[in-house]
Amino acid sequence: MTAPRPKNRRAHSPRERSAPRYEPRPRPARPSETPPEAVPDVIPEPVPAQRALSKASRRGLDAFAFFVANLQTGFGPFLAVYFTQAKWTQSDIGFALTVGSLVSLLGQVPGGAFVDAVRSKRFAAGFAVVAISASAFALAVWPNFLIVLIAMAAHSAASCVLTPAIAAISIGLVGHARAGERLGRNASFQALGNALAAAGMGACGYYLSNDAVFYLTAALMVPTLMALSSIRADEVNHDTGSAAQAAPGAAGLRALATNRALLCFAGCMTLFFLANAALLPLVGSVLTLRASETATALIAACIMVPQAVLAICAPAIGRAAERWGRRPMLLLGFAALPVRALLFAYADSPTLLVAIQVFDGISAAVLGVMVPLVVSDVTRGTGRFNLALGAVGTAMGIGAALSTSLAGIMADRLGSHTAFLGLALVGAAAFLMLALIMPETRRRQSV
């Protein structure tokens, strides 16, 4: 017997009859119930803003960048003055400086590879600081030819380790997403250190003696290592671009050699320094001819003006690079170079020549942040960041070495005006090369 149908049952339309019935959604799986295939192959990098960084580490890195610049300033123009006072011939001075330059040029790649291989970047940085301090002490105590050559070579080799080590510590401390801001802050403190150290060491050499400059440089090891020790080791992610993620040796080197963005950037930097390195020495020659009595003071001003611009602008450049990308900032820095060279070619007043150095500060601020930042972008995950940074440094050194010879030949045969125009053309070529072949390297971060 069948049950009677309800009399008040509503008739359904054909659309209603064909519509699928509602089925409750399944309960979301708990984390422990997530199937293995649902886990992504690549885990996004945590947002660095959420990382707990102590004030001691942040301020320690600030102080370390500042004191490293102080430490390196002692090996600048004071060397030639010191050697001249010690009755060295110009050929011996040139040979000693050449040894340092060659080691600096050839040691960039091995220095970067060493930092990649060392687990603790703080140890690599501390080792380099001790070597630089020992070199300065040796110059002051035993200024004979052999010791000076060894000290110059040791200083240059240690500098090849120190530069990538600072960049690795900085990126390991804040992560890739905030690397631009951190590197800009480093550049600002380094510019302040250079300016203050130049003034302090100049006064020390004037009121005491020239060898007192190198005693002071050696003594700066103490505050530099104290600043480094205040950076907490447990807050530095040594796996960020470290050898722990590196491909096997040959495979990793092949990856760098076939990295199009890295090769493009190295080529652009070579051309940039081919135009840039000779500009200030050429300006020095022009100032000496036009205002010999005040040439030294004007050259000092030409050095100080870019440092001031760098100290002010570098943090803003780093923040802008994270917001708008690397290419716009690089184009700004590269564009300032041919403008500066053109203005030098047509400027008559010595004061105006000093004012034009503002453009040098813009370029220095951009490259001081962008070089390690772009290299970090294009080598992320390869474990070859420091090696690649050394390779780019070598390309920059080659361009700088050729620049002075190129400018000297043009100035001797065609005059300084034509030499400035020629360097401006090379700078314009560098800008065009960057605009045409260099890709944007910034990656968006996963939240």
Side-chain angles (χ1 to χ4, degrees), residues 81-127:
V81 176
Y82 178 60
F83 292 151
T84 301
Q85 187 190 44
K87 308 300 181 182
W88 282 39
T89 65
Q90 290 299 316
S91 59
D92 287 342
I93 295 174
F95 186 74
L97 296 178
T98 299
V99 168
S101 299
L102 287 176
V103 174
S104 180
L105 181 62
L106 299 176
Q108 296 279 345
V109 174
F114 173 75
V115 177
D116 278 331
V118 174
R119 176 66 180 175
S120 173
K121 314 308 178 191
R122 293 167 73 245
F123 170 79
F127 176 80

Side-chain angles (χ1 to χ4, degrees), residues 94 181 197 238-239 247 307 364 401 436:
E181 183 179 355
H238 294 291
D239 289 335
Q307 294 297 322
L436 293 176

Side-chain angles (χ1 to χ4, degrees), residues 7 25 78 100 124 140 142 156 168 204 282 302 312 314 333 341 394 436 445:
K7 296 181 180 181
R25 289 184 296 177
F78 300 102
W142 303 292
S156 297
C204 186
L282 200 56
C302 286
I312 295 171
T394 300
L436 293 176
Q445 300 295 319

Side-chain angles (χ1 to χ4, degrees), residues 351-364:
T351 305
L352 184 57
L353 290 174
V354 175
I356 293 170
Q357 280 293 90
V358 169
F359 290 94
D360 187 29
I362 295 173
S363 296

